[in-house]
Every structure is written in structure tokens, then in C-alpha cells.
Amino acid sequence: SKIIFTKIFNSSIIDTSLIENSKQYSQEELKQKDESFEEMRQELFKFLSQIPQLSQLEVMKGAQLWDQFKGEQEALFSLLLIWYRDILVYRETRDPAQILCADQMETIASMASYYDDRKLIQITDKVLDIHKKLKANANAALAIDCLLMELK
């Protein structure tokens, strides 16, 4: 588990550009960006929390999120890693203080019983791999489909 945490946080996926570039935006623009990020976050987490109840075909429809938030790919990958990191941390520690998405605590706790450690590590490896392939100009639709197949 420690290896995957190191891998996640040493990867270049965690996007800090909004923080670094925040001086370039007006207060209103920052508020709009915050609202759109929160909308994306809630939609992604809602989808991820429904995966145990969805068929494989329904999981594949999750590609619509990537279409809907096309310009926010870095943030989507960061959120995916954080989500699965929180589930893995909760499985290992059962300590809510260690969870980054505290507002999702109840869902994370229930998801911890759905996934085993091996599957969580496979998913995180796949997220990192697909992100790397997309940066190398892989076919985005195909890459996202491969990622979604791994989530179930």
C-alpha cells in the first residue's frame, strides 16, 4: 500500500495549475472555476460510487463524463486517484482523519467493502498508465474505455 501512495503523489497527475495560476483570475472567475470543479467532482464521485450496482455496459457509459468535462482531463485523473487512494487508506486504517474527501466518508467506507487491496492497486496503476498514454497522444476514447473496464 505504501508503494502505491508514493506512486500516486510522485506522479505528475496531481494538477496544481489552478493554484499556481490563481493570481491571473478575478474573484468572479475563480468562483466560477470552483463551482464547475465542484460540479465535476460531485458527478464523478456519484458515478464511481454507483459502480458496484452498474452493469459493465452502464460503467462504459461513464465515458460521457470525459466528454462532458473534456477540458478538465487532468482534474478528472487527479480526482480518480484521490478517490481510490481514499478507499485504500480507509481499508488499511479505518481512520476517517486520513481521508482526503471527508464529505464522501460514508460512501468511501461502503466502497472499501466492495474492492480488495489488489483491485484498488490495479485500478490506480491503470489510471496512471492511461494518463501517461493520453499524454503520448493515444486514442482518447479507446484509452478511457480501457480505464472504465478496469473500474468494475
Side-chain angles (χ1 to χ4, degrees), residues 82-90 98-101 108:
I82 290 168
W83 177 260
Y84 288 105
R85 174 245 176 238
D86 277 354
I87 295 170
L88 188 58
V89 167
Y90 186 78
Q98 300 295 317
I99 304 305
L100 298 174
C101 299
I108 288 168

Side-chain angles (χ1 to χ4, degrees), residues 27 29 75 119:
Q27 289 295 347
E29 288 171 321
K119 181 66 174 178

Side-chain angles (χ1 to χ4, degrees), residues 2-148:
K2 287 182 182 179
I3 293 170
I4 198 69
F5 298 145
T6 304
K7 199 182 228 184
I8 290 170
F9 290 106
N10 286 339
S11 76
S12 61
I13 288 182
I14 305 300
D15 185 15
T16 58
S17 61
L18 182 60
I19 296 166
E20 292 166 0
N21 297 325
S22 63
K23 295 175 187 154
Q24 299 174 8
Y25 298 107
S26 69
Q27 289 295 347
E28 186 59 34
E29 288 171 321
L30 285 174
K31 183 178 178 185
Q32 287 174 335
K33 285 188 173 291
D34 285 348
E35 288 170 0
S36 67
F37 178 82
E38 186 58 29
E39 175 191 354
M40 177 181 58
R41 180 181 178 273
Q42 292 302 326
E43 286 190 41
L44 179 63
F45 288 172
K46 179 181 177 189
F47 167 72
L48 294 173
S49 69
Q50 293 172 343
I51 286 177
Q53 294 83 31
L54 299 177
S55 69
Q56 188 66 44
L57 182 61
E58 291 169 321
V59 170
M60 297 306 292
K61 290 180 183 177
Q64 294 168 349
L65 282 171
W66 267 261
D67 292 337
Q68 182 180 352
F69 300 108
K70 199 169 192 90
E72 301 296 331
Q73 218 173 37
E74 293 294 321
L76 282 169
F77 278 98
S78 294
L79 288 169
L80 270 173
L81 287 174
I82 290 168
W83 177 260
Y84 288 105
R85 174 245 176 238
D86 277 354
I87 295 170
L88 188 58
V89 167
Y90 186 78
R91 279 187 55 79
E92 295 295 318
T93 67
R94 299 284 187 220
D95 181 4
Q98 300 295 317
I99 304 305
L100 298 174
C101 299
D103 63 317
Q104 301 289 323
M105 188 61 236
E106 190 175 308
T107 306
I108 288 168
S110 71
M111 296 298 286
S113 63
Y114 177 72
Y115 292 108
D116 62 19
D117 291 350
R118 193 177 113 261
K119 181 66 174 178
L120 290 166
I121 291 169
Q122 284 175 341
I123 290 171
T124 5
D125 283 343
K126 186 60 117 179
V127 170
L128 293 168
D129 180 52
I130 295 295
H131 181 262
K132 183 178 175 182
K133 287 179 179 173
L134 287 173
K135 284 204 174 260
N137 293 324
N139 180 313
L142 210 52
I144 298 305
D145 286 348
C146 287
L147 174 62
L148 292 170

